[in-house]
mmCIF file of all heavy atoms in Angstrom:
data_model
loop_
_atom_site.group_PDB
_atom_site.id
_atom_site.type_symbol
_atom_site.label_atom_id
_atom_site.label_comp_id
_atom_site.label_asym_id
_atom_site.label_seq_id
_atom_site.Cartn_x
_atom_site.Cartn_y
_atom_site.Cartn_z
ATOM 1 N N ILE A 121 -24.685 -7.105 -14.453
ATOM 2 C CA ILE A 121 -23.961 -8.107 -15.228
ATOM 3 C C ILE A 121 -22.518 -7.721 -15.335
ATOM 4 O O ILE A 121 -22.189 -6.706 -15.907
ATOM 5 C CB ILE A 121 -24.606 -8.348 -16.637
ATOM 6 C CG1 ILE A 121 -26.116 -8.539 -16.452
ATOM 7 C CG2 ILE A 121 -23.782 -9.366 -17.409
ATOM 8 C CD1 ILE A 121 -26.399 -9.857 -15.673
ATOM 9 N N ALA A 123 -18.696 -9.131 -16.718
ATOM 10 C CA ALA A 123 -18.032 -10.071 -17.522
ATOM 11 C C ALA A 123 -16.639 -10.192 -16.947
ATOM 12 O O ALA A 123 -15.991 -9.272 -16.700
ATOM 13 C CB ALA A 123 -18.002 -9.748 -19.083
ATOM 14 N N ALA A 146 -21.966 1.127 6.207
ATOM 15 C CA ALA A 146 -22.411 2.456 6.422
ATOM 16 C C ALA A 146 -21.739 3.457 5.442
ATOM 17 O O ALA A 146 -22.255 4.565 5.219
ATOM 18 C CB ALA A 146 -22.233 2.866 7.862
ATOM 19 N N ASP A 148 -21.177 3.155 2.378
ATOM 20 C CA ASP A 148 -21.754 3.069 0.980
ATOM 21 C C ASP A 148 -20.677 3.319 -0.129
ATOM 22 O O ASP A 148 -20.914 3.948 -1.069
ATOM 23 C CB ASP A 148 -22.796 4.194 0.788
ATOM 24 C CG ASP A 148 -24.028 3.967 1.655
ATOM 25 O OD1 ASP A 148 -24.326 2.747 1.845
ATOM 26 O OD2 ASP A 148 -24.660 4.900 2.111
ATOM 27 N N SER A 167 -11.689 -10.285 -26.802
ATOM 28 C CA SER A 167 -10.929 -10.204 -25.565
ATOM 29 C C SER A 167 -10.568 -11.615 -25.182
ATOM 30 O O SER A 167 -11.192 -12.649 -25.511
ATOM 31 C CB SER A 167 -11.762 -9.571 -24.444
ATOM 32 O OG SER A 167 -12.812 -10.390 -24.157
ATOM 33 N N ILE A 181 2.475 -7.801 -20.964
ATOM 34 C CA ILE A 181 2.783 -6.815 -19.860
ATOM 35 C C ILE A 181 4.283 -7.137 -19.433
ATOM 36 O O ILE A 181 4.526 -8.288 -18.984
ATOM 37 C CB ILE A 181 1.846 -7.096 -18.648
ATOM 38 C CG1 ILE A 181 0.360 -6.871 -19.127
ATOM 39 C CG2 ILE A 181 2.176 -6.042 -17.507
ATOM 40 C CD1 ILE A 181 0.082 -5.561 -19.569
ATOM 41 N N LYS A 183 5.946 -4.762 -17.286
ATOM 42 C CA LYS A 183 6.247 -4.047 -15.997
ATOM 43 C C LYS A 183 4.975 -3.415 -15.433
ATOM 44 O O LYS A 183 4.194 -2.789 -16.216
ATOM 45 C CB LYS A 183 7.378 -2.961 -16.214
ATOM 46 C CG LYS A 183 7.696 -2.384 -14.851
ATOM 47 C CD LYS A 183 8.871 -1.401 -15.052
ATOM 48 C CE LYS A 183 9.220 -0.754 -13.663
ATOM 49 N NZ LYS A 183 10.344 0.299 -13.821
ATOM 50 N N VAL A 186 3.256 0.202 -8.881
ATOM 51 C CA VAL A 186 2.242 0.883 -8.055
ATOM 52 C C VAL A 186 3.016 1.697 -6.969
ATOM 53 O O VAL A 186 3.792 1.148 -6.237
ATOM 54 C CB VAL A 186 1.346 -0.100 -7.319
ATOM 55 C CG1 VAL A 186 0.366 0.564 -6.449
ATOM 56 C CG2 VAL A 186 0.532 -1.013 -8.430
ATOM 57 N N ASN A 198 -6.204 12.778 5.523
ATOM 58 C CA ASN A 198 -5.908 13.153 4.175
ATOM 59 C C ASN A 198 -5.893 11.949 3.183
ATOM 60 O O ASN A 198 -5.350 10.897 3.519
ATOM 61 C CB ASN A 198 -4.420 13.780 4.216
ATOM 62 C CG ASN A 198 -4.380 15.068 5.051
ATOM 63 O OD1 ASN A 198 -5.302 15.810 5.051
ATOM 64 N ND2 ASN A 198 -3.210 15.276 5.615
ATOM 65 N N THR A 251 5.652 -0.735 -28.155
ATOM 66 C CA THR A 251 5.689 -0.688 -26.687
ATOM 67 C C THR A 251 5.354 0.716 -26.187
ATOM 68 O O THR A 251 5.904 1.714 -26.624
ATOM 69 C CB THR A 251 7.098 -1.135 -26.182
ATOM 70 O OG1 THR A 251 7.384 -2.438 -26.657
ATOM 71 C CG2 THR A 251 7.128 -1.200 -24.687
ATOM 72 N N CYS A 254 1.980 3.260 -19.790
ATOM 73 C CA CYS A 254 0.761 4.003 -19.504
ATOM 74 C C CYS A 254 0.587 4.332 -18.061
ATOM 75 O O CYS A 254 0.726 3.486 -17.258
ATOM 76 C CB CYS A 254 -0.409 3.168 -20.033
ATOM 77 S SG CYS A 254 -0.304 2.700 -21.815
ATOM 78 N N LYS A 255 0.281 5.609 -17.769
ATOM 79 C CA LYS A 255 0.189 6.030 -16.372
ATOM 80 C C LYS A 255 -1.189 6.354 -15.984
ATOM 81 O O LYS A 255 -1.995 6.915 -16.800
ATOM 82 C CB LYS A 255 1.161 7.169 -16.140
ATOM 83 C CG LYS A 255 2.567 6.787 -16.262
ATOM 84 C CD LYS A 255 3.520 7.929 -15.858
ATOM 85 C CE LYS A 255 4.950 7.515 -15.925
ATOM 86 N NZ LYS A 255 5.910 8.581 -15.495
ATOM 87 N N GLY A 280 -4.798 -4.322 -16.833
ATOM 88 C CA GLY A 280 -5.234 -4.417 -18.157
ATOM 89 C C GLY A 280 -4.489 -3.569 -19.143
ATOM 90 O O GLY A 280 -3.972 -2.556 -18.867
ATOM 91 N N ASP A 292 -7.317 -9.941 -13.194
ATOM 92 C CA ASP A 292 -7.649 -9.454 -11.769
ATOM 93 C C ASP A 292 -6.717 -9.946 -10.609
ATOM 94 O O ASP A 292 -6.820 -9.484 -9.537
ATOM 95 C CB ASP A 292 -9.103 -9.991 -11.472
ATOM 96 C CG ASP A 292 -10.138 -9.228 -12.152
ATOM 97 O OD1 ASP A 292 -10.102 -8.023 -12.324
ATOM 98 O OD2 ASP A 292 -11.157 -9.990 -12.583
ATOM 99 N N LYS A 315 24.328 13.959 34.333
ATOM 100 C CA LYS A 315 25.677 13.626 34.732
ATOM 101 C C LYS A 315 26.111 12.255 34.251
ATOM 102 O O LYS A 315 25.287 11.290 34.300
ATOM 103 C CB LYS A 315 25.844 13.707 36.164
ATOM 104 C CG LYS A 315 25.864 15.225 36.832
ATOM 105 C CD LYS A 315 26.193 15.234 38.265
ATOM 106 C CE LYS A 315 26.164 16.629 38.752
ATOM 107 N NZ LYS A 315 26.496 16.692 40.201
ATOM 108 N N ALA A 329 -2.722 4.886 12.358
ATOM 109 C CA ALA A 329 -4.028 5.340 11.987
ATOM 110 C C ALA A 329 -5.090 4.355 12.241
ATOM 111 O O ALA A 329 -4.947 3.213 11.936
ATOM 112 C CB ALA A 329 -4.012 5.743 10.576
ATOM 113 N N GLY A 338 -2.636 3.801 19.976
ATOM 114 C CA GLY A 338 -1.451 3.071 20.291
ATOM 115 C C GLY A 338 -1.468 1.726 19.722
ATOM 116 O O GLY A 338 -2.470 0.968 19.594
ATOM 117 N N TYR A 339 -0.281 1.310 19.257
ATOM 118 C CA TYR A 339 -0.041 -0.061 18.674
ATOM 119 C C TYR A 339 0.605 -0.903 19.713
ATOM 120 O O TYR A 339 1.802 -0.798 19.956
ATOM 121 C CB TYR A 339 0.834 0.171 17.381
ATOM 122 C CG TYR A 339 0.906 -1.117 16.458
ATOM 123 C CD1 TYR A 339 0.037 -2.111 16.713
ATOM 124 C CD2 TYR A 339 1.590 -1.072 15.392
ATOM 125 C CE1 TYR A 339 -0.016 -3.258 15.712
ATOM 126 C CE2 TYR A 339 1.658 -2.106 14.506
ATOM 127 C CZ TYR A 339 0.789 -3.190 14.710
ATOM 128 O OH TYR A 339 0.828 -4.230 13.770
ATOM 129 N N TYR A 381 22.349 11.233 20.693
ATOM 130 C CA TYR A 381 20.882 11.212 20.306
ATOM 131 C C TYR A 381 20.315 9.800 20.648
ATOM 132 O O TYR A 381 20.872 8.857 20.238
ATOM 133 C CB TYR A 381 20.638 11.566 18.861
ATOM 134 C CG TYR A 381 21.218 12.965 18.516
ATOM 135 C CD1 TYR A 381 22.534 13.191 18.188
ATOM 136 C CD2 TYR A 381 20.298 14.033 18.453
ATOM 137 C CE1 TYR A 381 22.925 14.489 17.893
ATOM 138 C CE2 TYR A 381 20.669 15.342 18.094
ATOM 139 C CZ TYR A 381 22.026 15.525 17.856
ATOM 140 O OH TYR A 381 22.471 16.786 17.511
ATOM 141 N N VAL A 402 20.812 14.373 24.233
ATOM 142 C CA VAL A 402 21.101 14.414 25.587
ATOM 143 C C VAL A 402 22.465 14.852 25.863
ATOM 144 O O VAL A 402 23.474 14.292 25.355
ATOM 145 C CB VAL A 402 20.856 13.042 26.389
ATOM 146 C CG1 VAL A 402 21.263 13.220 27.842
ATOM 147 C CG2 VAL A 402 19.450 12.602 26.257
ATOM 148 N N ASP A 403 22.684 16.037 26.626
ATOM 149 C CA ASP A 403 23.958 16.467 26.977
ATOM 150 C C ASP A 403 24.535 15.848 28.277
ATOM 151 O O ASP A 403 23.857 15.916 29.317
ATOM 152 C CB ASP A 403 23.818 18.103 27.191
ATOM 153 C CG ASP A 403 25.128 18.747 27.526
ATOM 154 O OD1 ASP A 403 26.202 18.123 27.404
ATOM 155 O OD2 ASP A 403 25.057 19.827 28.053
#
Side-chain angles (χ1 to χ4, degrees):
I121 303 300
D148 292 326
S167 67
I181 305 295
K183 183 178 180 180
V186 178
N198 295 327
T251 304
C254 302
K255 294 185 177 181
D292 286 319
K315 290 185 177 182
Y339 196 5
Y381 298 84
V402 174
D403 178 17

